[in-house]
Amino acid sequence: MPMKKFIALAALAAASLAQAQTATGGATYAIDPTHTFVTYEITHFGTSTNRGRFDKKEGSVKFDKAAKTGRVEVSFDLASVNTGVAAMNTHLLSDDLFSAAKFPTAKFVGDKFVFNGDKVVEVVGELTLKGKTAPVTLKATHFNCYDNPMLKREVCGGDFEAVIDRTQWGVDYGLAYGFPKNVKLVIQVEAVKQ
């Protein structure tokens, strides 16, 4: 894809996703779907690590650097799960795990940003999955804002992760076989200032 077309598509996608809902102050940032990924990791009998990602996601960020406040919403389509193994994808969507036919979307909403200087180090919020909502704190392993030379706008983002107990959302499959209840959730996000 030619670079001009890619930049135009990225800008259009980012602009179309601007849906921030938050209090006064700060700027609105639209999540860039080409630089935003939601993935998970769970160990397999203490040997290897099973990984998957959700290919369809959207959301928005409201961010006030001066006031050190913000709000982020990221929704992901469970049917877009991709493990690289078709049979595993199908099983994840079943009632054993995600019950995606009944609950097609999962959503993280973070409304408390924790800073160290001018860097976000945590986002405290809630994850809704399978119709249940429980608290989750995402810790930043990277965070930065920069002026994107192609988009000519500020972009902020980072890598955020948390270890969650999947049983809080009723995802209990495999516990009797020895599958762990803890899952590492990783959200990589970049958002374009609107």
Side-chain angles (χ1 to χ4, degrees):
M1 175 184 300
M3 184 57 76
K4 276 186 165 178
K5 187 173 180 183
F6 172 77
I7 293 169
L9 284 173
L12 180 62
S16 71
L17 291 173
Q19 307 166 5
Q21 308 167 16
T22 185
T24 61
T28 299
Y29 295 75
I31 286 179
D32 176 357
T34 64
H35 291 92
T36 299
F37 297 93
V38 178
T39 61
Y40 72 87
E41 299 176 0
I42 185 170
T43 59
H44 188 247
F45 293 104
T47 55
S48 60
T49 301
N50 287 336
R51 293 178 174 87
R53 76 171 189 223
F54 299 92
D55 290 333
K56 292 183 183 174
K57 63 278 174 187
E58 63 182 24
S60 59
V61 178
K62 188 77 169 183
F63 185 48
D64 188 331
K65 286 185 267 187
K68 297 189 187 303
T69 61
R71 179 180 173 86
V72 62
E73 295 187 16
V74 180
S75 297
F76 42 105
D77 179 354
L78 294 176
S80 73
V81 70
N82 183 353
T83 63
V85 179
M88 189 178 293
N89 296 346
T90 300
H91 190 213
L92 285 167
L93 298 177
S94 74
D95 287 340
D96 280 347
L97 293 152
F98 295 150
S99 300
K102 294 178 203 163
F103 306 103
T105 305
K107 185 175 191 176
F108 175 78
V109 177
D111 57 6
K112 181 181 178 192
F113 285 26
V114 179
F115 284 75
N116 181 2
D118 63 350
K119 300 285 187 183
V120 176
V121 294
E122 286 184 350
V123 177
V124 180
E126 295 181 323
L127 176 67
T128 301
L129 176 68
K130 290 185 75 171
K132 297 177 181 175
T133 301
V136 169
T137 297
L138 295 172
K139 296 192 181 299
T141 59
H142 300 284
F143 180 84
N144 191 43
C145 293
Y146 69 99
D147 291 323
N148 186 298
M150 294 176 283
L151 300 176
K152 308 292 186 210
R153 290 196 238 165
E154 182 183 47
V155 174
C156 292
D159 294 333
F160 298 85
E161 59 186 50
V163 175
I164 61 173
D165 175 352
R166 63 190 173 99
T167 63
Q168 290 184 289
W169 293 272
V171 183
D172 303 330
Y173 178 80
L175 292 175
Y177 304 134
F179 290 121
K181 64 180 182 177
N182 289 337
V183 176
K184 183 177 180 182
L185 178 66
V186 180
I187 299 179
Q188 168 196 332
V189 62
E190 289 192 25
V192 181
K193 189 173 183 178
Q194 300 301 293

